[in-house]
Amino acid sequence: NELMRLKKDTGNLIWSKTLGKSNKLNGFLASSVIGSKLWISSSDGGLTSYNPATGELIDKFTLNSSVSSSPMY
């Protein structure tokens, strides 16, 4: 699984991060922007945040259950 930021006008890649391997039971569920962080949740209880401008990892947590949200477009 890859997390990517693309240029809106051209579709060119700005940055890309590998989120890890997944399968049907352990996948990445959703992303949400809260404040100045891009949050990514996974079905295995992982919750990570990234800087949207640079793709730099900011926070990483392991929860007791999965977290989900509506997809962003």
Side-chain angles (χ1 to χ4, degrees):
N1 288 317
E2 295 285 326
L3 176 63
M4 293 182 249
R5 179 178 177 199
L6 307 175
K7 288 187 84 170
K8 183 178 179 178
D9 56 346
T10 64
N12 291 341
L13 181 67
I14 296 173
W15 55 258
S16 175
K17 290 284 183 183
T18 300
L19 296 177
K21 297 180 181 180
S22 71
N23 58 41
K24 290 182 182 179
L25 298 176
N26 183 16
F28 293 90
L29 299 175
S31 60
S32 298
V33 175
I34 303 171
S36 61
K37 297 178 182 180
L38 172 62
W39 290 91
I40 306 293
S41 64
S42 64
S43 61
D44 65 356
L47 183 62
T48 54
S49 70
Y50 296 88
N51 180 320
T54 65
E56 178 185 359
L57 176 67
I58 299 171
D59 299 300
K60 187 172 185 176
F61 302 98
T62 302
L63 308 174
N64 291 330
S65 64
S66 64
V67 176
S68 63
S69 69
S70 300
M72 285 180 12
Y73 296 99

